[in-house]
Amino acid sequence: MSIIHLSAVSSEEPTAADLAGIEAEWPLIAAELDLLDAQIACINAGPHASELETRRIRRAERRVLEAGRELADRAPETEGVA
């Protein structure tokens, strides 16, 4: 028996606009996941982390920034969509 009673947030399916928003943000989400993977690999390497691992983090950070800029540049086009 669970002492925590959680109700479903919503039983509704995502709308087409919700899915379009996720699809528009997907490049940023993917870039952030790549950054997280690079950071985890560097942490797991510990003191034995190589220059390659630190470069991988810097490249992933750059991709996150680029994807964020591209998403921000497209934002005015989709601002009225809701």
Side-chain angles (χ1 to χ4, degrees):
M1 180 171 101
S2 175
I3 61 171
I4 301 173
H5 300 286
L6 299 176
S7 60
V9 174
S10 175
S11 61
E12 296 177 19
E13 295 292 320
T15 64
D18 293 336
L19 294 175
I22 293 169
E23 187 173 334
E25 290 181 15
W26 190 252
L28 178 58
I29 295 168
E32 289 173 337
L33 288 172
D34 289 343
L35 175 57
L36 181 62
D37 287 343
Q39 291 169 331
I40 290 170
C42 190
I43 289 169
N44 285 337
H48 306 292
S50 68
E51 178 61 30
L52 179 63
E53 286 152 337
T54 56
R55 278 188 277 160
R56 183 176 172 215
I57 290 173
R58 287 193 307 266
R59 284 192 308 267
E61 288 171 336
R62 188 171 47 250
R63 283 192 302 271
V64 167
L65 292 173
E66 290 169 0
R69 268 193 308 270
E70 289 174 12
L71 184 61
D73 288 343
R74 288 191 312 233
E77 297 173 10
T78 59
E79 195 171 290
V81 176

